[in-house]
Amino acid sequence: MADRLTGIDVFVRAIRLGGISAAARDLHMSPAMAAKHLDALEARLGTTLVQRSTRRLSLTEAGADYFEKAERILMEIGEAEAEASSRSITAQGLLRVSAPATFGVLHLASLIPAFSARHPEVTIELGFNDRYVDLLEERWDVAVRIGRLANSALVARKLVAMRVVLCAAPSYLARRGTPTRLADLGDHDCLGHTNASLAGTTSWAFGKDGTIKVPISGSMCSDNGEALVRAAIAGQGLVYGPRFIAAEALRAGQLSELELDEPPMMLGAAYAITHPTRRPAAKTRAWIDFLAEALPALGTDW
């Protein structure tokens, strides 16, 4: 394909500039090499495009028709390359971002105005889903993922550290007492997450590596962390999960953080994920750089 395009380029330049030698100089190749490319083009097409003489080139009937089409093809390729080059330098176009639902709603959506002020030519599509999306298959430019990353070929950039917290409303603790040991959890209403294996509906994991499993039960469970926090604020029970969901309620005194005889498991961090087979466009790089700056400032108590 590269040789085919070079042959077309030699042909068009030779006609524009008045000779094969002039086309060769313009393309920084020898006249003999330029002539070979033109010969190969004619052989591939099975027709003569130009009549050559020592003084000038003249187009055949087939050559005149082909020249018009070839010139248009080269122009379109040049425009496409210029546009792609521009987009690799300037942040612009549609940016598709996938993120966990609760984190996206609580924290990413509120950052969009500041990002748009910096990069007004970027349009953002936010997709909130708690499952791991396939970046290539579903055509996402970047995904935000939270936790401890498994070994993966994906390219990850750490954005902000994350912690897990156990908490409850002061009204609940006044009514049911404050647990101080893991063994106390069996006497409490524990609000479990139906999609969280380490903080689920039948057991919660403690210890930095999450190796200490404690049986729990409760009167409510949900697949949404924010719903569990809202129920805990209302006095429904204990909630155990990412601190970024409960941070505002903790600051406001609506929830109290609890410390037991073993620490909560380590959640890890929030990461920006891109695919290694794609060179990130300027819009993607701009978004990741923006998050790496904005999220640590936003999540000082996460």
Side-chain angles (χ1 to χ4, degrees):
M1 180 59 71
D3 285 344
R4 181 177 298 182
L5 288 175
T6 300
I8 294 172
D9 206 2
V10 168
F11 167 65
V12 169
R13 289 174 193 257
I15 300 304
R16 282 179 183 165
L17 299 175
I20 293 176
S21 295
R25 286 194 298 272
D26 208 39
L27 290 168
H28 305 289
M29 65 175 65
S30 68
M33 179 60 69
K36 285 183 179 180
H37 278 293
L38 183 54
D39 289 341
L41 175 63
E42 291 180 322
R44 187 165 53 251
L45 296 175
T47 189
T48 300
L49 299 175
V50 294
Q51 299 290 353
R52 311 179 203 185
S53 69
T54 55
R55 293 185 178 181
R56 61 189 294 271
L57 298 177
S58 59
L59 288 169
T60 64
E61 184 178 351
D65 184 57
Y66 187 74
F67 176 78
E68 181 180 345
K69 293 181 175 63
E71 192 172 39
R72 186 167 61 250
I73 288 169
L74 292 177
M75 183 182 302
E76 290 175 354
I77 291 174
E79 290 174 352
E81 289 181 342
E83 181 179 355
S85 177
S86 171
R87 286 180 178 272
S88 71
I89 298 170
T90 304
Q92 59 181 303
L94 176 64
L95 176 69
R96 302 190 72 234
V97 179
S98 174
T102 301
F103 184 73
V105 170
L106 288 179
H107 301 297
L108 289 189
S110 62
L111 294 176
I112 300 303
F115 178 79
S116 295
R118 290 190 191 181
H119 304 284
E121 296 184 55
V122 177
T123 301
I124 297 180
E125 177 186 341
L126 292 177
F128 295 152
N129 199 312
D130 289 331
R131 65 178 175 83
Y132 274 18
V133 299
D134 186 310
L135 294 179
L136 283 182
E137 184 76 17
E138 300 177 47
R139 298 171 57 209
W140 296 104
D141 295 298
V142 60
V144 175
R145 291 184 182 167
I146 296 172
R148 289 177 285 184
L149 294 182
N151 291 333
S152 171
L154 297 174
V155 177
R157 179 173 175 183
K158 184 177 178 180
L159 301 173
V160 61
M162 296 282 191
R163 291 187 289 145
V164 172
V165 64
L166 175 67
C167 52
S171 60
Y172 174 86
L173 298 176
R175 188 173 75 252
R176 297 286 298 272
T178 301
T180 58
R181 302 175 302 154
L182 294 182
D184 296 338
L185 294 182
D187 298 325
H188 284 269
D189 204 338
C190 298
L191 312 181
H193 197 296
T194 56
N195 290 337
S197 59
L198 297 179
T201 58
T202 59
S203 68
W204 286 348
F206 287 82
K208 290 184 177 180
D209 295 325
T211 54
I212 305 172
K213 302 294 179 62
V214 181
I216 60 98
S217 62
S219 59
M220 173 193 170
C221 60
S222 175
D223 64 354
N224 182 275
E226 187 178 11
L228 296 175
V229 167
R230 295 298 173 193
I233 291 171
Q236 184 72 18
L238 307 181
V239 64
Y240 184 52
R243 203 179 197 283
F244 73 80
I245 305 177
E248 184 177 347
L250 288 167
R251 287 194 295 268
Q254 295 173 304
L255 292 176
S256 299
E257 185 170 354
L258 305 175
E259 293 186 5
L260 305 183
D261 51 346
E262 291 288 346
M265 63 181 175
M266 294 181 64
L267 180 56
Y271 296 88
I273 307 294
T274 54
H275 203 280
T277 62
R278 285 182 172 177
R279 184 177 182 273
K283 61 185 179 182
T284 304
R285 297 195 303 271
W287 172 251
I288 294 174
D289 289 343
F290 173 77
L291 290 185
E293 173 189 332
L295 286 181
L298 184 65
T300 53
D301 57 351
W302 290 351

